[in-house]
Amino acid sequence: MAVSCRRAGRVWGRAPLGRAVLRRRLPAAGVAGRVEAASFTRPYAVAAAGGSGGHEVNGEELLEMCWRRHFLRGGAEPRPVLPWRDYLSGCHLGFGPLGVALRGNLVSQWWDSALPFREQVLAVDAPLHGPPAAANPQGLRLLRSEALHEALQGRGCSQEQGRPSLEEVLGASGMLRESLLPGALSQYASCLELVNRRLPCGLAQTGVCFHSVPESEQHNKNLVRIGERTTSLLAWFSSPRTTGQWLDYWLRQRLQWWRKFAVAPSNFSSSDFQDEKGRKGFNLHYRFPWGTETIETLKNLGDTELLQMYPGDSSKLLGRDGRKNVIPHVLSASGNLDRGVLAYLFDSLQLAENPLTKKKIAQRKVLKLHPCLAPLKVALDVGKGPTTELRQVCQGLFNELSENGISVWPGYLETVQVSLEQLYAKYDEMSVLFMILITDATLENGVVQLRSRDTTMKEMMHISRLTDFLTKYVTSAKNV
């Protein structure tokens, strides 16, 4: 339904795509051109490199802010009760809405780097649980508590007819997935046919895995909690003669990928190791305030796991390496993307001077996440002017930006009135790249105010140029 209003002799109307547009447009301003020219830089990275990107922050400040801005779920109000070690181990209530969006963006960037990078990388998937494995006493099992209770009741007395024994219950229980590797290896043979048995090739997968977390606070050291993590896996199959070269290659690529989105890339590092079987590998770390934590592991597995996955006929494992047919060696690159989210939260938080006060306790907190990772690219708010008409403009702009893949926060729906400085502080902590202010002037001439998170500069831009500007900004940041 068309909606129109007269303001100073000019007529507004609702366009077919849902965005309010001007009948008469203002000529492109030079100031908008300056904003576009600046959009292709990364001022937050430049500031950090120069040592003036802000004051150092501690884990307590970040934990409180991430809980308050819904990156993390922290427990009971008014303060989070979970320590960082619970988030690192995967024993927590989960991420909040902004944390889920941040992790989704990180997963998306991982796929963008894994699939197009090499010609023969295929995406695979596998279930969260596997079939019963009675022969394997280790691992996390999936079973009904009623069946376990019934079996335990029957152990202390003569076995009743029809009541299952504990061994039968455990033998029939499924196994929770602790690694993505077995599921990927089980699909190697079929995927090898898909690539015409040509080596090297790779299988890529992301998903949730489970692991045991010892409960150190308990008197019984055998008691454990179950943690979970979002994991990425690249299983790379290559000729035995080139495996060492590929390990070095993927080490460089993976370290470069983690550093790409960082304000302080030097906090991401690597170290080599050798397991009990003599197999070489590398751990990628992030330096948290309390020490380094592993976020990804690369390892040369040889052909052992592959031969165990396909016992008997090994001919189905043969791949073509030039004119030779060989059983490939497996290189695995397994990343903990949940820890990656925590690493980027620490990496991006900076304290800057608050323009309203010089007190240290009132310093402005800015979460300078990379534009590709920021959960929200834009916040839309209204200033002075007729509320109904301004919200119609915001709704149309919200629809247009969303249709173009730009995530938007609908600040114009907020009913509690706050100052602009309070809005800036809120959106800086939410890592919103730009705040767009729709005012009475927008109805007059189509110009909006665009405020940058990274530079705090406020520029004027015509509303018709916003979508193109924001799309180019994010795209250029991805290609840096």
Side-chain angles (χ1 to χ4, degrees):
M1 181 177 70
V3 180
S4 63
C5 62
R6 288 190 179 273
R7 304 277 306 162
R10 297 178 177 84
V11 182
W12 276 85
R14 179 77 59 161
L17 53 72
R19 179 172 69 88
V21 295
L22 272 171
R23 299 297 187 189
R24 177 180 173 184
R25 292 184 175 178
L26 189 73
V31 114
R34 291 199 298 273
V35 174
E36 292 196 17
S39 69
F40 299 97
T41 64
R42 293 173 58 186
Y44 54 92
V46 174
S52 59
H55 303 278
E56 223 178 275
V57 295
N58 57 47
E60 185 74 17
E61 290 176 305
L62 178 61
L63 186 61
E64 188 276 334
M65 195 200 74
C66 288
W67 173 77
R68 179 162 42 86
R69 295 305 178 195
H70 303 284
F71 283 91
L72 303 174
R73 294 177 61 195
E77 296 184 7
R79 291 180 62 81
V81 296
L82 295 179
W84 278 114
R85 66 173 179 271
D86 285 348
Y87 291 101
L88 289 168
S89 65
C91 293
H92 56 89
L93 299 175
F95 291 105
L98 293 190
V100 170
L102 170 56
R103 182 177 60 188
N105 290 341
L106 186 61
V107 172
S108 177
Q109 291 300 314
W110 185 89
W111 279 110
D112 287 347
S113 69
L115 291 182
F117 203 80
R118 304 297 304 177
E119 294 179 353
Q120 291 183 274
V121 177
L122 305 176
V124 296
D125 198 8
L128 287 170
H129 57 86
N136 180 17
Q138 305 297 323
L140 302 175
R141 295 176 179 270
L142 189 65
L143 53 87
R144 295 175 64 247
S145 59
E146 295 87 348
L148 179 61
H149 181 68
E150 186 179 356
L152 290 174
Q153 281 185 327
R155 296 196 77 183
C157 57
S158 58
Q159 188 72 26
E160 297 182 14
Q161 187 176 4
R163 173 173 287 183
S165 65
L166 180 60
E167 289 73 17
E168 290 173 335
V169 171
L170 293 177
S173 61
M175 305 294 293
L176 282 177
R177 181 171 70 185
E178 298 186 64
S179 170
L180 297 178
L181 185 61
L185 294 181
S186 67
Q187 302 182 61
Y188 165 76
S190 59
C191 291
L192 188 63
E193 296 291 340
L194 193 59
V195 297
N196 198 25
R197 311 190 75 84
R198 186 170 61 250
L199 296 177
C201 63
L203 301 179
Q205 183 181 357
T206 59
V208 174
C209 292
F210 303 88
H211 56 274
S212 299
V213 180
E215 183 57 86
S216 58
E217 289 82 7
Q218 296 288 345
H219 296 292
N220 189 345
K221 300 299 182 181
N222 293 323
L223 293 178
V224 296
R225 293 182 295 171
I226 296 179
E228 64 177 69
R229 65 196 186 278
T230 303
T231 307
S232 62
L233 173 73
L234 175 64
W236 187 253
F237 307 91
S238 65
S239 166
R241 65 181 178 84
T242 60
T243 303
Q245 298 173 12
W246 281 115
L247 181 60
D248 293 338
Y249 171 83
W250 284 115
L251 170 64
R252 292 193 301 270
Q253 295 299 325
R254 296 306 305 146
L255 187 58
Q256 181 182 3
W257 182 83
W258 284 106
R259 288 176 170 176
K260 172 183 177 180
F261 306 107
V263 175
S266 61
N267 284 331
F268 291 89
S269 60
S270 65
S271 64
D272 61 336
F273 68 90
Q274 194 166 341
D275 66 10
E276 63 279 359
K277 298 180 181 179
R279 299 181 297 190
K280 295 181 179 181
F282 294 93
N283 285 324
L284 303 185
H285 313 277
Y286 179 76
R287 187 174 64 218
F288 290 91
W290 55 82
T292 60
E293 300 284 352
T294 300
I295 56 175
E296 186 164 1
T297 298
L298 292 83
K299 184 186 288 189
N300 179 8
L301 301 174
D303 58 7
T304 305
E305 277 80 357
L306 201 56
L307 291 172
Q308 291 175 348
M309 182 64 66
Y310 297 90
D313 185 15
S314 61
S315 60
K316 63 176 68 174
L317 304 179
L318 294 174
R320 291 191 295 109
D321 176 36
R323 296 183 179 181
K324 295 182 179 180
N325 291 326
V326 297
I327 296 178
H329 280 196
V330 183
L331 188 155
S332 71
S334 179
N336 188 331
L337 298 182
D338 286 346
R339 281 193 182 181
V341 168
L342 302 180
Y344 285 123
L345 288 174
F346 267 96
D347 171 78
S348 61
L349 180 61
Q350 296 181 9
L351 296 182
E353 295 295 338
N354 192 322
L356 300 181
T357 177
K358 297 300 181 181
K359 295 181 180 179
K360 185 176 181 181
I361 58 173
Q363 286 175 329
R364 185 171 62 94
K365 298 182 179 68
V366 187
L367 202 60
K368 294 189 176 182
L369 288 167
H370 189 279
C372 295
L373 300 184
L376 296 167
K377 309 301 189 252
V378 171
L380 284 177
D381 275 270
V382 295
K384 295 181 179 180
T387 304
T388 302
E389 288 86 344
L390 293 179
R391 286 193 175 184
Q392 288 175 352
V393 175
C394 288
Q395 185 62 60
L397 188 57
F398 180 95
N399 294 335
E400 179 179 339
L401 294 175
S402 299
E403 289 170 2
N404 283 273
I406 299 172
S407 53
V408 186
W409 179 259
Y412 57 90
L413 298 179
E414 182 62 60
T415 57
V416 179
Q417 296 295 323
V418 297
S419 68
L420 280 179
E421 287 299 331
Q422 289 174 311
L423 277 179
Y424 297 154
K426 171 185 175 181
Y427 292 143
D428 284 346
E429 292 182 359
M430 294 170 65
S431 196
V432 178
L433 298 179
F434 294 99
M435 174 184 165
I436 299 175
L437 190 64
I438 307 296
T439 65
D440 188 55
T442 309
L443 302 179
E444 295 288 346
N445 52 33
V447 172
V448 302
Q449 177 180 288
L450 193 70
R451 190 258 185 187
S452 168
R453 174 201 70 184
D454 298 325
T455 65
T456 70
M457 291 177 58
K458 305 176 188 69
E459 304 282 358
M460 308 305 292
M461 181 179 292
H462 196 276
I463 194 171
S464 64
R465 304 185 64 181
L466 283 173
T467 301
D468 183 59
F469 164 74
L470 293 169
T471 301
K472 287 181 178 179
Y473 184 91
V474 176
T475 302
S476 63
K478 183 184 298 187
N479 296 329
V480 170

